[in-house]
Amino acid sequence: MGETDTVPSPDWSLSLHASIHEIGAEAWDTCAGGDNPFVSFGFLSALEDSGSVADRSGWLVRHAALRAPDGTIAALAPLYGKSHSWGEYVFDQSWARAYEAAGGRYYPKFVCAVPFSPVPGPRLLLRPDLPDPKGVAEALASALIQATAQLGLSSLHANFCDAASMEAFTEAGYLPRTGIQYHWQNNGYATFDDFLVALSSRKRKSIRKERSAAQSCGLTFSTLRGDQITPEDWKAFYWFYQSTIDRKWGSAYLTERFFPMLSERLGDRVVLMMAHHEGKAVAGALNLMGTDALFGRNWGCEGDWPFLHFELCYYRAIDFAIEHGLSRVEAGAQGEHKIQRGYLPTFTHSAHAILDPGLRQAVAAFVEEERTAMQAEAAELMTLSPYRHGESG
């Protein structure tokens, strides 16, 4: 795992907490900052208080707090014990099968992540006034390995890390892993038409045709934020969410209580885009707004409406980002069809501490081979870019 100290000095300590409320909103948000809503106290506490993150879903809350000698919290990490690998979006089931076939016990494990949310962001949350933030981040990453070992767990997985967290995890000896998502970049566009100008003529015409088709079905569209979202809106959206999960044979981890609770706690950072037909809600797309990005999350619809998914989830997200001066829209994982709508492949990163030497060696070889394949895949996907030559998107 590399030669690292557990904490900056022997007087520092790591504690694990069974609820985010044990840490408190002020301490948590001081470390989390305001850029990324998914690591905020409001979002994570809504997951817990709504019962979305609970024993029934297999996410055991164990948030980590690194304390300085005076007892103050210097750094935090959203941490969960897992008895399975569902709801993570970084897939390690093949590692588990191989390890257990060899007589090992892969589960339970630790996951440092935001449940059910494949959104890149900080995973090592640091108090902003630290004199040595890099050292404290590496100390927390190392302390998490120690905790994993002391509890007899097989591994710890930090998923969808930002660059600073990834650097600290790597320095602490974690294995880096690469993935691909699709993000739209705002190159100073003043209007949606400005964005279209950056595309090839054929792609520009295709998007205009799709938007026209979606908007000519007798639908009305609205973008609602915070307390503009009514209980009826959330009831309709939860039905859409469940129906989408059912169609994809997934698990509806998020409870009905989660969505209105999210609105109460995050306010205008919750952006719900709805489509109605003859006064009835027929589709919805949930986004969260960060300081400089719009993050697309869940979507669902009732009925068959041409290109409605693209209109509500991709094009209206771009409209919103341009209007509010946001630099990007993150549309999440999967879906090469996003490329044709201006969302280009972007690398994501995760970090993995594997305690068993044999398994670690096998995983290290796997992620290295996978990284090479991902780089080749991204290069191939970029050939599908809809942007004109010289335009980066």
Side-chain angles (χ1 to χ4, degrees):
M1 289 297 174
E3 296 181 2
T4 55
D5 295 328
T6 303
V7 289
S9 79
D11 296 327
W12 288 57
S13 63
L14 183 79
S15 57
L16 302 183
H17 299 266
S19 169
I20 197 170
H21 292 285
E22 294 181 7
I23 296 167
E26 183 178 0
W28 188 277
D29 283 340
T30 295
C31 294
D35 290 343
N36 188 302
F38 291 89
V39 293
S40 69
F41 183 90
F43 186 88
L44 295 173
S45 67
L47 285 174
E48 293 182 26
D49 296 343
S50 66
S52 301
V53 164
D55 291 346
R56 70 166 189 87
S57 60
W59 290 77
L60 184 67
V61 179
R62 287 294 182 268
H63 298 312
L66 183 65
R67 298 179 186 272
D70 63 1
T72 59
I73 292 176
L76 297 164
L79 189 67
Y80 302 87
K82 293 292 301 300
S83 57
H84 55 72
S85 293
W86 301 110
E88 298 174 22
Y89 300 91
V90 175
F91 303 105
D92 63 343
Q93 287 91 335
S94 63
W95 305 353
R97 288 192 295 268
Y99 191 50
E100 292 177 354
R105 184 187 179 199
Y106 193 78
Y107 303 106
K109 64 177 185 176
F110 267 150
V111 173
C112 179
V114 177
F116 327 124
S117 304
V119 178
R123 297 295 176 259
L124 302 172
L125 314 179
L126 308 180
R127 204 174 67 207
D129 59 350
L130 294 173
D132 180 20
K134 182 178 178 181
V136 172
E138 292 176 14
L140 177 54
S142 296
L144 292 174
I145 295 178
Q146 295 264 343
T148 303
Q150 289 170 5
L151 292 171
L153 307 185
S154 70
S155 53
L156 186 149
H157 309 264
N159 296 339
F160 298 101
C161 303
D162 68 357
S165 294
M166 195 65 197
E167 180 181 4
F169 281 123
T170 303
E171 286 296 320
Y174 292 62
L175 298 173
R177 190 178 186 187
T178 303
I180 292 177
Q181 285 190 349
Y182 300 91
H183 299 172
W184 175 85
Q185 299 292 329
N186 184 356
N187 288 336
Y189 305 123
T191 66
F192 192 90
D193 281 342
D194 286 346
F195 154 62
L196 289 180
V197 168
L199 307 182
S200 69
S201 175
R202 184 168 63 88
K203 300 302 182 186
R204 186 163 58 245
K205 291 177 182 177
S206 176
I207 290 176
R208 283 179 172 149
K209 182 178 179 181
E210 289 178 357
R211 296 206 76 176
S212 177
Q215 295 171 8
S216 63
C217 294
L219 299 173
T220 58
F221 297 93
S222 58
T223 297
L224 308 172
R225 300 179 64 185
D227 58 11
Q228 296 175 332
I229 309 172
T230 68
E232 290 73 23
D233 293 324
W234 283 128
K235 184 176 181 180
F237 181 78
Y238 186 67
W239 191 92
F240 300 145
Y241 165 70
Q242 284 189 306
S243 65
T244 299
I245 294 295
D246 289 344
R247 285 197 299 272
K248 294 185 177 180
W249 302 96
S251 297
Y253 290 114
L254 300 174
T255 67
E256 189 169 4
R257 294 174 57 209
F258 170 75
F259 297 103
M261 197 174 286
L262 189 67
S263 241
E264 294 169 5
R265 299 184 183 184
L266 291 188
D268 283 352
R269 301 177 85 180
V270 177
V271 182
L272 182 63
M273 298 178 181
M274 299 287 285
H276 290 77
H277 184 256
E278 297 180 352
K280 178 185 177 183
V282 296
L286 175 62
N287 308 266
L288 294 187
M289 180 179 175
T291 301
D292 202 30
L294 186 70
F295 304 95
R297 284 304 305 118
N298 307 102
W299 122 280
C301 74
E302 177 182 3
D304 186 15
W305 308 94
F307 304 110
L308 179 57
H309 179 223
F310 302 148
E311 174 65 21
L312 207 57
C313 295
Y314 305 150
Y315 302 142
R316 288 191 172 264
I318 291 174
D319 279 333
F320 185 93
I322 292 173
E323 179 183 354
H324 292 84
L326 304 177
S327 69
R328 67 190 185 281
V329 178
E330 298 191 9
Q334 302 177 340
E336 293 181 15
H337 61 274
K338 297 172 184 174
I339 298 175
Q340 303 304 312
R341 280 91 198 169
Y343 292 74
L344 297 184
T346 304
F347 288 122
T348 59
H349 304 279
S350 60
H352 306 269
I354 310 295
L355 271 60
D356 180 273
L359 179 61
R360 176 183 167 84
Q361 183 178 11
V363 169
F366 175 89
V367 296
E368 182 60 33
E369 183 177 336
E370 182 185 52
R371 184 180 305 112
T372 300
M374 285 287 179
Q375 291 170 344
E377 180 181 354
E380 180 66 22
L381 290 171
M382 283 299 293
T383 65
L384 304 176
S385 170
Y387 293 91
R388 294 182 299 163
H389 181 69
E391 298 280 354
S392 59

